[in-house]
Amino acid sequence: NAGVMQNPRHLVRRRGQEARLRCSPMKGHSHVYWYRQLPEEGLKFMVYLQKENIIDESGMPKERFSAEFPKEGPSILRIQQVVRGDSAAYFCASSPPADPGELFFGEGSRLTVL
Amino acid sequence: AQSVSQHNHHVILSEAASLELGCNYSYGGTVNLFWYVQYPGQHLQLLLKYFSGDPLVKGIKGFEAEFIKSKFSFNLRKPSVQWSDTAEYFCAVNRATDSWGKLQFGAGTQVVVTP
């Protein structure tokens, strides 16, 4: 059973460009979570999604950030008009329906904004 | 502000030494507690979790943690570490009032075990 797959692993963008990060959950997992890790800090929750639904977006910045988990395909975290402060590691996690509290993490996508 | 605090940012110890990593949280009410580990170059993995019941929880690779409600603590222990335990360790808390999977993480403790 393949783990949580994230791509790209590394992404470089210039200020003002868009960044799209993708996450394929583990097989059979229907819950997806996005976390952000800034340098020297712990992971910060951003959003929790189930297929076609945003369940909890209390950690998402109000502007420029959006997330989706369509019926088919990976979950996407989209950052519009990136700024230097968006440089971070973005981690995706998934969990099975029967045990939504146990998270399985991907290896992360590292975004660098020049 | 409500938070999760890990007492040490870096710990260096020799093989066979005992390890204890502190974790305190400041939330009132019911919580679920976790320790995650990230080995070099790998993804975060769950070491152990506490939801309810026996406050002494045993996890993988010989790790255990004790929940002390009165102290808002969930310290991680291993009696005798190995070189392969070199990793970063994260404590995390899920408040029962939050959605599943919404974890508050500590800043992590980098543990280096020397041969």
Side-chain angles (χ1 to χ4, degrees):
Chain A
N1 189 2
V4 176
M5 303 301 293
Q6 289 189 247
N7 68 84
R9 294 290 311 279
H10 300 276
L11 181 64
V12 179
R13 286 288 179 264
R14 296 190 182 279
R15 283 179 295 170
Q17 291 184 319
E18 178 179 289
R20 284 191 183 221
L21 309 176
R22 288 176 290 278
C23 169
S24 295
M26 288 180 70
K27 188 176 180 180
H29 288 193
S30 54
H31 303 250
V32 166
Y33 313 84
W34 285 94
Y35 281 79
R36 175 166 65 172
Q37 185 178 27
L38 296 171
E40 304 299 321
E41 295 186 18
L43 281 73
K44 303 279 192 234
F45 170 83
M46 299 181 76
V47 63
Y48 164 29
L49 310 106
Q50 294 180 21
K51 286 283 187 182
E52 300 184 281
N53 284 304
I54 296 174
I55 306 301
D56 182 344
E57 56 180 349
S58 57
M60 287 280 271
K62 293 287 184 275
E63 297 176 346
R64 303 187 296 107
F65 284 72
S66 62
E68 62 176 8
F69 188 18
K71 187 176 180 181
E72 302 291 337
S75 175
I76 307 284
L77 179 68
R78 181 184 179 203
I79 311 171
Q80 295 178 288
Q81 300 173 345
V82 296
V83 301
R84 289 221 173 102
D86 297 332
S87 295
Y90 292 83
F91 290 92
C92 173
S94 70
S95 64
D99 192 2
E102 180 158 355
L103 305 188
F104 294 80
F105 281 84
E107 294 184 342
S109 292
R110 275 161 176 76
L111 171 66
T112 301
V113 180
L114 301 178
Chain B
Q2 295 178 323
S3 66
V4 179
S5 298
Q6 292 184 236
H7 304 161
N8 306 96
H9 291 290
H10 294 92
V11 172
I12 302 174
L13 61 168
S14 302
E15 279 192 313
S18 64
L19 173 69
E20 180 160 0
L21 302 181
C23 173
N24 286 90
Y25 61 93
S26 59
Y27 307 112
T30 303
V31 292
N32 302 308
L33 299 160
F34 307 81
W35 275 96
Y36 280 85
V37 61
Q38 187 172 24
Y39 297 104
Q42 296 188 26
H43 58 276
L44 274 167
Q45 302 172 42
L46 181 67
L47 263 182
L48 47 79
K49 61 184 178 183
Y50 171 81
F51 286 177
S52 63
D54 188 344
L56 186 60
V57 180
K58 294 196 183 299
I60 61 171
K61 305 188 179 187
F63 285 91
E64 66 178 28
E66 185 175 11
F67 172 47
I68 303 179
K69 189 174 182 180
S70 61
K71 294 185 178 181
F72 298 87
S73 70
F74 190 55
N75 292 354
L76 180 71
R77 297 193 291 254
K78 185 169 183 178
S80 177
V81 295
Q82 301 173 312
W83 177 79
S84 57
D85 293 321
T86 294
E88 190 157 19
Y89 293 80
F90 294 91
C91 178
V93 175
N94 167 246
R95 295 180 294 184
T97 53
D98 282 339
S99 54
W100 279 117
K102 181 177 180 179
L103 305 182
Q104 309 289 336
F105 279 86
T109 298
Q110 182 67 52
V111 173
V112 175
V113 180
T114 59

